[in-house]
Coordinates of all heavy atoms in Angstrom, one line a residue:
M1 N 10.5 -15.2 -18.2 CA 9.3 -16.0 -17.7 C 8.1 -15.5 -18.4 O 7.9 -14.3 -18.5 CB 9.1 -15.7 -16.2 CG 9.2 -17.0 -15.4 SD 9.1 -16.5 -13.6 CE 8.4 -18.0 -13.0
V2 N 7.2 -16.4 -18.8 CA 6.0 -15.9 -19.5 C 4.9 -15.6 -18.4 O 4.7 -16.3 -17.5 CB 5.4 -17.1 -20.3 CG1 4.1 -16.7 -21.0 CG2 6.4 -17.6 -21.4
P3 N 4.4 -14.3 -18.6 CA 3.3 -14.0 -17.7 C 2.1 -14.7 -18.0 O 1.7 -15.0 -19.2 CB 3.1 -12.5 -17.9 CG 3.7 -12.2 -19.3 CD 4.7 -13.4 -19.6
L4 N 1.3 -15.2 -17.0 CA 0.0 -15.8 -17.2 C -1.0 -14.8 -16.9 O -1.0 -14.3 -15.7 CB 0.0 -17.1 -16.3 CG 1.1 -18.1 -16.5 CD1 1.1 -19.1 -15.3 CD2 1.1 -18.8 -17.8
I5 N -1.8 -14.6 -17.8 CA -2.9 -13.6 -17.6 C -4.2 -14.3 -17.2 O -4.6 -15.2 -17.9 CB -3.2 -12.7 -18.8 CG1 -1.8 -12.3 -19.5 CG2 -4.0 -11.5 -18.5 CD1 -1.0 -11.5 -18.6
C6 N -4.9 -13.7 -16.2 CA -6.3 -14.2 -15.9 C -7.2 -13.7 -17.0 O -7.3 -12.4 -17.2 CB -6.7 -13.7 -14.5 SG -8.5 -14.2 -14.3
I7 N -7.7 -14.5 -17.8 CA -8.6 -14.1 -18.9 C -9.9 -13.5 -18.4 O -10.6 -12.9 -19.3 CB -8.9 -15.3 -19.9 CG1 -9.7 -16.4 -19.2 CG2 -7.7 -15.8 -20.5 CD1 -10.1 -17.5 -20.2
F8 N -10.2 -13.5 -17.2 CA -11.5 -12.9 -16.8 C -11.3 -11.5 -16.2 O -12.2 -10.6 -16.1 CB -12.1 -13.8 -15.7 CG -12.4 -15.2 -16.2 CD1 -11.8 -16.3 -15.7 CD2 -13.4 -15.3 -17.1 CE1 -12.1 -17.5 -16.1 CE2 -13.7 -16.6 -17.7 CZ -13.0 -17.7 -17.2
C9 N -10.1 -11.3 -15.6 CA -9.9 -9.9 -14.8 C -8.6 -9.3 -15.1 O -8.3 -8.3 -14.4 CB -10.2 -10.2 -13.3 SG -9.0 -11.0 -12.4
K10 N -7.8 -9.7 -16.0 CA -6.4 -9.2 -16.2 C -5.4 -9.4 -15.2 O -4.4 -8.7 -15.2 CB -6.6 -7.7 -16.7 CG -7.3 -7.5 -18.0 CD -7.2 -6.0 -18.3 CE -7.6 -5.8 -19.8 NZ -7.5 -4.3 -20.1
Y11 N -5.7 -10.1 -14.1 CA -4.8 -10.3 -13.1 C -3.5 -11.1 -13.6 O -3.8 -11.9 -14.5 CB -5.4 -11.3 -12.0 CG -4.6 -11.8 -10.9 CD1 -4.1 -11.0 -9.9 CD2 -4.2 -13.1 -11.0 CE1 -3.3 -11.6 -8.9 CE2 -3.4 -13.7 -10.0 CZ -3.0 -12.9 -9.0 OH -2.2 -13.5 -8.0
V12 N -2.4 -10.7 -13.3 CA -1.1 -11.3 -13.8 C -0.4 -12.1 -12.8 O -0.2 -11.8 -11.7 CB -0.2 -10.2 -14.4 CG1 1.1 -10.8 -15.0 CG2 -0.8 -9.4 -15.4
E13 N -0.1 -13.3 -13.2 CA 0.6 -14.2 -12.3 C 1.7 -14.9 -13.1 O 1.6 -15.1 -14.3 CB -0.4 -15.3 -11.8 CG 0.0 -16.3 -10.7 CD 0.6 -15.5 -9.6 OE1 0.0 -15.0 -8.8 OE2 1.9 -15.6 -9.6
Y14 N 2.7 -15.3 -12.4 CA 3.9 -16.0 -13.1 C 3.9 -17.4 -12.8 O 4.7 -18.2 -13.4 CB 5.2 -15.3 -12.8 CG 5.3 -13.9 -13.6 CD1 4.7 -12.8 -13.0 CD2 5.9 -13.9 -14.8 CE1 4.8 -11.5 -13.7 CE2 6.1 -12.8 -15.6 CZ 5.4 -11.6 -14.9 OH 5.5 -10.3 -15.6
I15 N 3.2 -17.8 -11.7 CA 3.3 -19.2 -11.3 C 2.0 -19.9 -11.6 O 0.9 -19.4 -11.1 CB 3.6 -19.3 -9.7 CG1 5.0 -18.6 -9.5 CG2 3.7 -20.7 -9.2 CD1 5.2 -18.1 -8.1
E16 N 1.9 -20.9 -12.3 CA 0.8 -21.6 -12.8 C -0.1 -22.0 -11.6 O -1.3 -21.9 -11.6 CB 1.2 -22.8 -13.6 CG 0.1 -23.3 -14.5 CD 0.4 -24.4 -15.4 OE1 1.5 -24.3 -16.2 OE2 -0.2 -25.5 -15.4
F17 N 0.5 -22.6 -10.6 CA -0.2 -23.0 -9.5 C -1.0 -21.9 -8.8 O -2.2 -22.1 -8.4 CB 0.7 -23.7 -8.4 CG -0.1 -24.0 -7.2 CD1 -0.8 -25.2 -7.1 CD2 -0.1 -23.3 -6.0 CE1 -1.5 -25.6 -6.0 CE2 -0.7 -23.6 -4.9 CZ -1.4 -24.9 -4.9
D18 N -0.5 -20.6 -8.8 CA -1.1 -19.5 -8.2 C -2.3 -19.0 -9.0 O -3.2 -18.6 -8.6 CB -0.1 -18.4 -7.9 CG 0.8 -18.7 -6.8 OD1 0.5 -19.7 -6.0 OD2 1.9 -18.2 -6.7
L19 N -2.1 -19.1 -10.4 CA -3.2 -18.7 -11.3 C -4.3 -19.7 -11.1 O -5.5 -19.3 -11.1 CB -2.7 -18.6 -12.7 CG -3.8 -18.2 -13.7 CD1 -4.4 -16.8 -13.4 CD2 -3.3 -18.2 -15.2
D20 N -3.9 -21.0 -11.0 CA -5.0 -22.1 -10.8 C -5.8 -21.6 -9.5 O -7.1 -21.7 -9.6 CB -4.3 -23.4 -10.6 CG -5.1 -24.6 -10.7 OD1 -6.2 -24.5 -9.9 OD2 -4.8 -25.5 -11.2
L21 N -5.1 -21.3 -8.5 CA -5.8 -20.9 -7.3 C -6.7 -19.7 -7.4 O -7.8 -19.7 -6.9 CB -4.7 -20.7 -6.2 CG -5.0 -20.9 -4.7 CD1 -5.3 -22.5 -4.6 CD2 -3.9 -20.5 -3.8
H22 N -6.1 -18.8 -8.1 CA -6.9 -17.5 -8.4 C -8.2 -17.8 -9.1 O -9.2 -17.3 -8.8 CB -6.0 -16.5 -9.1 CG -6.7 -15.4 -9.7 ND1 -7.0 -14.3 -9.0 CD2 -7.3 -15.2 -10.9 CE1 -7.7 -13.4 -9.7 NE2 -8.0 -14.0 -10.9
L23 N -8.0 -18.6 -10.2 CA -9.3 -19.0 -10.9 C -10.3 -19.7 -10.0 O -11.4 -19.5 -10.2 CB -8.8 -19.9 -12.1 CG -8.1 -19.2 -13.2 CD1 -7.3 -20.2 -14.2 CD2 -8.9 -18.2 -14.0
Y24 N -9.8 -20.6 -9.2 CA -10.6 -21.4 -8.5 C -11.3 -20.6 -7.4 O -12.6 -20.7 -7.2 CB -9.8 -22.6 -7.7 CG -10.6 -23.5 -7.0 CD1 -11.4 -24.5 -7.6 CD2 -10.8 -23.4 -5.6 CE1 -12.2 -25.4 -7.0 CE2 -11.6 -24.3 -5.0 CZ -12.3 -25.3 -5.6 OH -13.2 -26.1 -4.9
Q25 N -10.6 -19.7 -6.8 CA -11.2 -18.8 -5.7 C -12.2 -17.7 -6.3 O -13.1 -17.3 -5.6 CB -10.1 -18.2 -4.9 CG -9.4 -19.3 -4.0 CD -8.2 -18.8 -3.3 OE1 -7.7 -17.7 -3.6 NE2 -7.8 -19.5 -2.2
N26 N -11.8 -17.2 -7.4 CA -12.5 -16.0 -8.0 C -13.5 -16.1 -9.2 O -14.2 -15.3 -9.3 CB -11.5 -14.9 -8.3 CG -10.6 -14.6 -7.0 OD1 -11.1 -13.9 -6.1 ND2 -9.4 -15.0 -7.0
H27 N -13.3 -17.2 -9.9 CA -13.9 -17.3 -11.1 C -14.6 -18.6 -11.5 O -14.8 -18.9 -12.6 CB -12.9 -17.0 -12.3 CG -12.2 -15.7 -12.2 ND1 -12.9 -14.5 -12.3 CD2 -11.0 -15.3 -12.1 CE1 -12.1 -13.5 -12.2 NE2 -11.0 -13.9 -12.0
R28 N -15.2 -19.2 -10.4 CA -15.9 -20.5 -10.6 C -17.0 -20.3 -11.5 O -17.2 -21.2 -12.4 CB -16.3 -21.2 -9.2 CG -15.4 -22.3 -8.9 CD -15.7 -22.8 -7.6 NE -15.2 -22.0 -6.6 CZ -15.1 -22.2 -5.3 NH1 -15.7 -23.3 -4.8 NH2 -14.5 -21.2 -4.5
I29 N -17.7 -19.3 -11.4 CA -19.0 -19.1 -12.2 C -18.5 -18.7 -13.7 O -19.1 -19.3 -14.7 CB -19.8 -17.9 -11.6 CG1 -20.5 -18.4 -10.3 CG2 -21.0 -17.5 -12.6 CD1 -21.1 -17.5 -9.5
D30 N -17.5 -17.9 -13.8 CA -16.9 -17.5 -15.1 C -16.4 -18.8 -15.8 O -16.6 -19.0 -17.0 CB -15.8 -16.5 -15.0 CG -16.2 -15.2 -14.4 OD1 -17.3 -14.8 -14.7 OD2 -15.5 -14.7 -13.6
L31 N -15.8 -19.7 -15.1 CA -15.3 -20.9 -15.7 C -16.4 -21.8 -16.2 O -16.3 -22.4 -17.3 CB -14.5 -21.7 -14.6 CG -13.0 -21.1 -14.3 CD1 -12.6 -21.6 -12.8 CD2 -12.1 -21.3 -15.3
V32 N -17.5 -21.9 -15.4 CA -18.6 -22.6 -15.9 C -19.2 -22.1 -17.2 O -19.7 -22.8 -18.0 CB -19.7 -22.8 -14.8 CG1 -21.0 -23.4 -15.3 CG2 -19.2 -23.6 -13.6
K33 N -19.2 -20.8 -17.3 CA -19.7 -20.1 -18.5 C -18.8 -20.2 -19.7 O -19.2 -19.8 -20.8 CB -20.0 -18.7 -18.3 CG -21.1 -18.4 -17.3 CD -21.3 -17.0 -17.1 CE -22.4 -16.6 -16.0 NZ -22.3 -15.2 -15.6
L34 N -17.5 -20.7 -19.5 CA -16.7 -20.8 -20.8 C -17.3 -21.6 -21.9 O -17.9 -22.8 -21.6 CB -15.4 -21.4 -20.3 CG -14.3 -20.6 -19.6 CD1 -13.1 -21.5 -19.3 CD2 -13.8 -19.5 -20.6
P35 N -17.3 -21.2 -23.1 CA -17.9 -21.9 -24.2 C -17.1 -23.1 -24.8 O -16.7 -23.1 -25.9 CB -18.1 -20.8 -25.3 CG -16.9 -20.0 -25.0 CD -16.7 -20.0 -23.6
I36 N -16.8 -24.0 -23.8 CA -16.0 -25.2 -24.2 C -16.7 -26.6 -24.0 O -16.1 -27.6 -23.9 CB -14.6 -25.2 -23.5 CG1 -14.8 -25.3 -22.0 CG2 -13.8 -24.0 -23.9 CD1 -13.5 -25.6 -21.3
G37 N -18.0 -26.5 -24.0 CA -18.8 -27.7 -23.8 C -18.8 -28.2 -22.4 O -18.4 -27.5 -21.6
K38 N -19.1 -29.5 -22.3 CA -18.9 -30.1 -20.9 C -17.6 -30.4 -20.6 O -16.8 -30.8 -21.3 CB -19.8 -31.3 -20.9 CG -21.4 -31.0 -20.8 CD -22.2 -32.3 -20.7 CE -23.6 -32.1 -20.7 NZ -24.5 -33.3 -20.8
G39 N -17.2 -30.1 -19.3 CA -16.0 -30.4 -18.8 C -15.9 -30.2 -17.3 O -16.6 -29.3 -16.8
S40 N -15.0 -30.9 -16.6 CA -14.8 -30.6 -15.2 C -14.3 -29.2 -14.9 O -13.8 -28.6 -15.8 CB -14.0 -31.8 -14.6 OG -12.7 -31.6 -15.1
L41 N -14.5 -28.9 -13.6 CA -13.8 -27.6 -13.3 C -12.3 -27.6 -13.6 O -11.7 -26.6 -14.1 CB -14.1 -27.2 -11.8 CG -14.0 -25.8 -11.4 CD1 -14.8 -24.9 -12.2 CD2 -14.2 -25.7 -9.8
E42 N -11.7 -28.7 -13.4 CA -10.2 -28.8 -13.6 C -9.9 -28.6 -15.0 O -9.0 -27.9 -15.4 CB -9.8 -30.3 -13.1 CG -8.3 -30.2 -12.8 CD -7.8 -31.7 -12.6 OE1 -8.5 -32.4 -12.2 OE2 -6.7 -32.0 -13.0
T43 N -10.7 -29.2 -15.9 CA -10.5 -29.0 -17.4 C -10.6 -27.6 -17.8 O -9.9 -27.0 -18.5 CB -11.6 -29.8 -18.1 OG1 -11.5 -31.2 -17.8 CG2 -11.4 -29.8 -19.6
R44 N -11.7 -26.9 -17.1 CA -11.9 -25.5 -17.4 C -10.8 -24.6 -16.9 O -10.4 -23.7 -17.6 CB -13.3 -25.1 -16.8 CG -14.4 -25.7 -17.5 CD -15.8 -25.6 -16.8 NE -16.8 -26.3 -17.5 CZ -17.3 -25.8 -18.6 NH1 -17.0 -24.6 -19.0 NH2 -18.2 -26.5 -19.2
I45 N -10.3 -25.0 -15.7 CA -9.1 -24.2 -15.2 C -8.0 -24.4 -16.1 O -7.2 -23.4 -16.4 CB -8.8 -24.6 -13.7 CG1 -9.9 -24.0 -12.8 CG2 -7.5 -24.1 -13.3 CD1 -9.9 -24.5 -11.3
N46 N -7.7 -25.5 -16.5 CA -6.6 -25.8 -17.5 C -6.7 -25.0 -18.7 O -5.7 -24.5 -19.3 CB -6.3 -27.3 -17.8 CG -5.8 -28.0 -16.6 OD1 -5.1 -27.4 -15.6 ND2 -6.1 -29.4 -16.5
Y47 N -7.9 -25.0 -19.3 CA -8.2 -24.2 -20.5 C -7.9 -22.7 -20.3 O -7.2 -22.1 -21.1 CB -9.6 -24.4 -20.9 CG -10.1 -23.6 -22.1 CD1 -9.9 -24.1 -23.4 CD2 -10.7 -22.3 -21.9 CE1 -10.3 -23.2 -24.4 CE2 -11.1 -21.6 -22.9 CZ -10.9 -22.0 -24.2 OH -11.3 -21.3 -25.3
A48 N -8.4 -22.2 -19.2 CA -8.2 -20.8 -18.9 C -6.7 -20.5 -18.7 O -6.2 -19.4 -19.2 CB -8.9 -20.5 -17.5
I49 N -6.0 -21.4 -18.1 CA -4.5 -21.2 -18.0 C -3.8 -21.2 -19.2 O -2.9 -20.2 -19.6 CB -3.9 -22.2 -17.0 CG1 -4.4 -22.0 -15.5 CG2 -2.3 -22.2 -17.0 CD1 -4.0 -23.2 -14.6
E50 N -4.1 -22.1 -20.1 CA -3.5 -22.1 -21.5 C -3.8 -20.9 -22.3 O -3.0 -20.3 -23.0 CB -3.9 -23.5 -22.2 CG -3.2 -24.7 -21.6 CD -1.8 -24.5 -21.2 OE1 -0.9 -24.0 -22.0 OE2 -1.4 -24.8 -20.1
E51 N -5.1 -20.4 -22.2 CA -5.5 -19.2 -22.8 C -4.6 -18.0 -22.3 O -4.3 -17.2 -23.0 CB -7.0 -18.9 -22.7 CG -7.8 -19.8 -23.6 CD -7.5 -19.5 -25.0 OE1 -7.9 -18.4 -25.6 OE2 -7.1 -20.5 -25.8
G52 N -4.5 -18.0 -20.9 CA -3.8 -17.0 -20.3 C -2.4 -16.9 -20.7 O -1.7 -15.9 -20.8
R53 N -1.8 -18.1 -20.9 CA -0.4 -18.2 -21.4 C -0.3 -17.6 -22.7 O 0.7 -17.0 -23.0 CB 0.0 -19.7 -21.3 CG 1.5 -19.9 -21.5 CD 1.9 -21.3 -21.8 NE 1.3 -22.3 -20.8 CZ 1.7 -22.5 -19.6 NH1 2.8 -21.9 -19.1 NH2 1.0 -23.3 -18.9
R54 N -1.3 -18.0 -23.6 CA -1.2 -17.4 -25.0 C -1.3 -15.9 -24.9 O -0.5 -15.2 -25.7 CB -2.5 -18.0 -25.8 CG -2.2 -18.5 -27.2 CD -3.3 -19.3 -27.7 NE -4.7 -18.9 -27.4 CZ -5.3 -17.9 -28.1 NH1 -4.8 -17.5 -29.2 NH2 -6.5 -17.6 -27.8
V55 N -2.2 -15.3 -24.2 CA -2.3 -13.9 -24.0 C -1.0 -13.4 -23.5 O -0.5 -12.3 -24.0 CB -3.5 -13.5 -23.1 CG1 -3.5 -12.0 -22.8 CG2 -4.8 -13.9 -23.6
G56 N -0.4 -14.0 -22.5 CA 0.9 -13.5 -21.9 C 2.0 -13.5 -22.9 O 2.7 -12.5 -23.0
I57 N 2.0 -14.5 -23.7 CA 3.1 -14.6 -24.7 C 2.9 -13.3 -25.7 O 3.8 -12.7 -26.1 CB 3.1 -15.9 -25.5 CG1 3.7 -17.0 -24.5 CG2 4.0 -15.9 -26.7 CD1 3.4 -18.4 -25.0
N58 N 1.6 -13.2 -26.2 CA 1.4 -12.1 -27.1 C 1.6 -10.8 -26.5 O 2.2 -9.8 -27.2 CB -0.1 -12.2 -27.6 CG -0.3 -13.4 -28.5 OD1 0.6 -13.8 -29.3 ND2 -1.5 -13.9 -28.4
L59 N 1.3 -10.6 -25.2 CA 1.5 -9.3 -24.6 C 3.0 -9.0 -24.4 O 3.4 -7.9 -24.7 CB 0.9 -9.3 -23.1 CG -0.5 -8.9 -23.0 CD1 -1.0 -9.3 -21.5 CD2 -0.9 -7.6 -23.4
R60 N 3.8 -10.0 -24.1 CA 5.2 -9.9 -23.9 C 5.8 -9.4 -25.2 O 6.8 -8.6 -25.2 CB 5.8 -11.2 -23.6 CG 7.0 -11.0 -22.7 CD 7.4 -12.3 -22.0 NE 7.6 -13.3 -23.1 CZ 8.3 -14.4 -22.9 NH1 9.1 -14.5 -21.8 NH2 8.5 -15.4 -23.8
N61 N 5.3 -9.7 -26.4 CA 5.9 -9.3 -27.7 C 5.5 -7.9 -28.1 O 5.9 -7.5 -29.2 CB 5.5 -10.4 -28.7 CG 6.1 -11.8 -28.5 OD1 7.2 -11.8 -27.8 ND2 5.5 -12.8 -28.9
L62 N 4.5 -7.3 -27.4 CA 4.0 -6.0 -27.9 C 5.1 -5.0 -27.5 O 6.0 -5.2 -26.6 CB 2.8 -5.7 -27.1 CG 1.5 -6.4 -27.5 CD1 0.4 -6.0 -26.6 CD2 1.1 -6.3 -28.9
N63 N 5.0 -3.8 -28.2 CA 6.0 -2.8 -27.9 C 5.5 -2.1 -26.5 O 4.4 -2.3 -26.2 CB 6.3 -1.9 -29.0 CG 5.1 -1.0 -29.5 OD1 4.2 -0.7 -28.6 ND2 5.0 -0.8 -30.7
K64 N 6.4 -1.2 -26.1 CA 6.1 -0.5 -24.7 C 4.8 0.3 -24.8 O 4.0 0.3 -23.9 CB 7.2 0.4 -24.5 CG 7.4 0.7 -23.0 CD 8.7 1.5 -22.8 CE 8.9 2.0 -21.4 NZ 10.0 3.0 -21.2
E65 N 4.6 1.0 -26.0 CA 3.4 1.8 -26.2 C 2.1 1.0 -26.1 O 1.1 1.3 -25.5 CB 3.5 2.6 -27.5 CG 2.7 3.9 -27.5 CD 3.0 4.6 -28.8 OE1 3.0 4.0 -29.9 OE2 3.3 5.9 -28.6
A66 N 2.2 -0.1 -26.9 CA 1.0 -1.0 -26.9 C 0.7 -1.6 -25.5 O -0.5 -1.7 -25.1 CB 1.2 -2.1 -28.0
K67 N 1.7 -1.9 -24.9 CA 1.5 -2.5 -23.5 C 0.9 -1.4 -22.6 O 0.0 -1.7 -21.8 CB 2.9 -2.9 -22.9 CG 3.4 -4.3 -23.4 CD 4.7 -4.5 -22.7 CE 5.5 -5.7 -23.3 NZ 6.8 -5.6 -23.0
H68 N 1.3 -0.2 -22.7 CA 0.8 0.9 -21.9 C -0.7 1.1 -22.2 O -1.5 1.3 -21.2 CB 1.6 2.1 -22.1 CG 1.3 3.2 -21.1 ND1 1.9 3.2 -19.9 CD2 0.4 4.3 -21.2 CE1 1.4 4.2 -19.2 NE2 0.5 4.9 -20.0
K69 N -1.0 1.0 -23.5 CA -2.4 1.3 -23.8 C -3.4 0.2 -23.3 O -4.5 0.5 -22.9 CB -2.6 1.2 -25.4 CG -2.5 2.6 -26.0 CD -2.8 2.4 -27.5 CE -2.5 3.6 -28.3 NZ -2.4 3.4 -29.7
L70 N -2.8 -0.9 -23.1 CA -3.6 -2.1 -22.6 C -3.6 -2.2 -21.1 O -4.3 -3.0 -20.5 CB -3.2 -3.5 -23.3 CG -3.4 -3.5 -24.8 CD1 -2.8 -4.7 -25.3 CD2 -4.9 -3.6 -25.0
G71 N -2.7 -1.3 -20.5 CA -2.6 -1.4 -19.0 C -1.7 -2.4 -18.5 O -1.8 -2.9 -17.4
F72 N -0.8 -2.9 -19.4 CA 0.1 -4.0 -19.0 C 1.5 -3.5 -19.1 O 2.5 -4.2 -19.4 CB 0.0 -5.2 -19.8 CG -1.3 -6.0 -19.6 CD1 -2.4 -6.0 -20.4 CD2 -1.4 -6.7 -18.3 CE1 -3.6 -6.7 -20.1 CE2 -2.5 -7.5 -18.1 CZ -3.6 -7.4 -19.0
E73 N 1.8 -2.2 -18.8 CA 3.1 -1.6 -18.9 C 4.2 -2.3 -18.1 O 5.4 -2.2 -18.5 CB 3.1 -0.1 -18.8 CG 2.7 0.3 -17.5 CD 1.1 0.5 -17.3 OE1 0.5 -0.1 -18.2 OE2 0.8 1.1 -16.2
Y74 N 3.8 -2.9 -17.1 CA 4.7 -3.6 -16.2 C 5.3 -5.0 -16.7 O 6.1 -5.6 -16.0 CB 4.2 -3.6 -14.8 CG 2.8 -4.4 -14.8 CD1 2.7 -5.7 -14.7 CD2 1.7 -3.5 -14.9 CE1 1.4 -6.3 -14.7 CE2 0.4 -4.1 -14.9 CZ 0.3 -5.4 -14.8 OH -0.9 -6.0 -14.8
I75 N 4.7 -5.5 -17.7 CA 5.1 -6.7 -18.3 C 6.4 -6.6 -19.1 O 6.4 -5.8 -20.1 CB 4.0 -7.4 -19.1 CG1 2.9 -8.0 -18.1 CG2 4.5 -8.5 -19.9 CD1 1.7 -8.6 -18.8
I76 N 7.3 -7.2 -18.7 CA 8.7 -7.1 -19.3 C 8.8 -8.1 -20.4 O 8.3 -9.2 -20.3 CB 9.8 -7.3 -18.2 CG1 9.6 -6.4 -17.1 CG2 11.2 -7.3 -18.9 CD1 10.3 -6.8 -15.8
S77 N 9.5 -7.6 -21.6 CA 9.7 -8.5 -22.7 C 10.6 -9.6 -22.4 O 11.5 -9.5 -21.6 CB 10.2 -7.7 -23.9 OG 9.4 -6.7 -24.1
Ligands
LIG101 ZN1 -9.1 -13.2 -12.4

């Protein structure tokens, strides 16, 4: 399973719906500040989720040491 990382606070979620909820509840202001031009909150949440998925895929591919350095040692390859 690909971990989905919250791009604002490093929170890790595996279920897209739960990250959506996390973003909505905790990062409305951060979402508005995203440099992606005009867009609804939903568009912004989707953008943040896709970025978080990209980060998650990259993190998963790191070796154990690199994960540890970044504080994501619990993410399994
Ligand atoms: Zn967060």
Side-chain angles (χ1 to χ4, degrees):
M1 242 177 150
V2 176
L4 306 168
I5 316 298
C6 173
I7 58 172
F8 301 114
C9 74
K10 291 186 171 184
Y11 170 76
V12 179
E13 187 51 74
Y14 286 85
I15 299 159
E16 196 173 311
F17 177 79
D18 290 340
L19 181 59
D20 190 313
L21 209 64
H22 168 84
L23 288 163
Y24 186 76
Q25 288 177 338
N26 299 286
H27 299 297
R28 252 172 286 185
I29 291 164
D30 298 319
L31 287 161
V32 170
K33 287 181 187 164
L34 279 175
I36 56 167
K38 284 184 183 173
S40 65
L41 197 58
E42 200 190 328
T43 305
R44 291 169 182 281
I45 285 175
N46 288 336
Y47 173 86
I49 290 171
E50 288 319 308
E51 284 296 295
R53 190 190 315 279
R54 219 163 49 84
V55 174
I57 289 167
N58 288 328
L59 275 174
R60 210 167 55 152
N61 292 333
L62 293 175
N63 65 33
K64 208 175 171 185
E65 204 173 51
K67 278 179 194 163
H68 192 82
K69 264 188 193 163
L70 293 168
F72 288 104
E73 59 274 14
Y74 49 88
I75 287 179
I76 302 156
S77 300

